Amino acid sequence: MKELTEVLKDWEAVIGLEIHTELTTLETKMFCGCKLSHDDAPNTNVCPVCLGLPGALPVPNRRAIESIVKAGLATNCQIQKRSMFYRKHYFYPDMAKNFQTTQGPVAFCMHGRLDLEVTGRGAAERPACAFGADQAESLASASANAEGLSRQMVEGLPEQASGALAGMAAYNTADLAVAERHDDGSYTVPIRILRIHMEEDAAKMVHVGGQEGRIGGAAESLVDYNRCGTPLIELVTEPDLRTPEEARLFMEKLRRIFLTIGISDCSMEKGSMRCDGNVSIRRRGETGLGTKTELKNLNSFKALHDGLAYEICRQAEVLEEGGVIYQETRHWEPSRKRTVVMRVKETTDDYRLFPDPDLAPFNLSDEFIEHCRAELPELPDAKRDRFEADFGIKRADAEQLAGDPDTAAFFEQAAEGLSGKAAQTVANLVVNELAAYLKGAGASLAQSGIVPAQVASLAKLLAEDAISSNQAHEVFEAMAQSGEDPEAIVDARGMRQVSDTGALQPIVDEVLAACADQAQQYRDGNQKVIGFLVGQCMKASRGTGNPKLFNELLRASLS
């Protein structure tokens, strides 16, 4: 197959995401009082309601409704005061009652938007021809022609006339914001959110013997109903994404927001956050849409990116060879780096949707919505901008720090009263050394025992050139394992650098005398040899000399 960048020059990918997030920070399920847990023995947290036994009546979880309203406010959605639950029928062992309770055409949250900043190599996925005025037409035609559950529900159900659904069937191209490209090759792109709706999660299926956990080839399948009934919100984007990188960045950004507002642990490894990617391709300049396929249950950012990239290239190859793309659900196999068919995609008719007679319509009050708004913390984008402005650190580091509430609070304490280079040194330690240590140790920040004062102390040693960056790594490891203060570690190990010119100049003279050939190479224009000479100086000083000062003294002596 062709490479993705080559394919996207001739073909436009139209991508929409459906992102499912379990509200794991709640204590009970969506419609009953059963405990939420991923770790208890199978089928121990169940009751007549989540098992769908006859006569059992659901009772909505108020805190779950608060969570989805917060999610909508944090993603710039319009909160719908009136909405209702529907029954979505399907027949599979993971839902004992044979229907899923979900929302209808009007969800709690409608018509939101998130802006993405795409930089570096990821920005190169979108070719230069994918910018400009034509993009408004592209977005409008994709939205107008998109086929999916939401649109079919609007067309087939009586709530079609609701004001909340205005504009879903047609778009004014003059009102659509498009990707804005910057001089450095990066760009900002707005991604519209169609809806965020509430539903209940299904049970967990364990396919024993199946390859990569799939049912194909399994000897038997087991069902754990502990997860059944877990409050789940599903965010559906408009088909505004055009590259796998944009899809990955959108999901990363959404995860940071949901972590910040505290509605989920967003663990993709445990399945509390997962994504379905819908993708079709069309020749650039066309307004009709190609046939889409759906990649199901992508459980990592890499899987989302690589699965979409493969599927775009696969569809292009099929079409260029005169083949046909079928609407189907496909599975991404990371080990084989390919997608395979799972099943033919269901339609709304298959689900037989109708309002749930056991659940009354919701009428959210202004007071309820404002209560949710008041509980929202500072969101990641605002925190990133504040870190960049107040501390003077790099935007990329500010974004990474702001994305996790615990890490952000840790950085603020460690960098208190600092700005510019001093604050950037703290940011570097948190983003690089601390993150790497926690990943290697498999521990959370709270479990590590590392405190902000220790990182602030280590940053001070670096700022004063008391230790080198290589030594800082060694000190950080020792600090993390022993809990000692970095100052004490440096002094106990004799690591403090010598930054006295008078003490280092004789060493420079000695090295230049012993390395006359390399010295002459430098004078002849070989700048790279300076690294070798600095290394010889460090060796001669037994690692105690300041490498930056050695570099300066060498250049001065050789000039």
Side-chain angles (χ1 to χ4, degrees), residues 202-229:
K204 181 180 180 180
M205 297 288 292
V206 179
H207 303 298
V208 181
Q211 190 173 18
E212 294 187 356
R214 297 175 61 209
I215 194 170
E220 56 187 355
S221 295
L222 308 177
V223 189
D224 177 9
Y225 285 104
N226 280 351
R227 193 176 72 180
C228 192

Side-chain angles (χ1 to χ4, degrees), residues 36 103 108 121 130 169 189 213 215 249 266 282 289-290 293 359 380 436 507 524:
L36 286 186
Q103 287 197 283
F108 283 118
R121 289 182 298 176
V189 57
I215 194 170
L249 289 174
C266 297
R282 58 183 176 180
L289 286 180
T293 58
L359 290 164
I507 298 175
D524 292 340

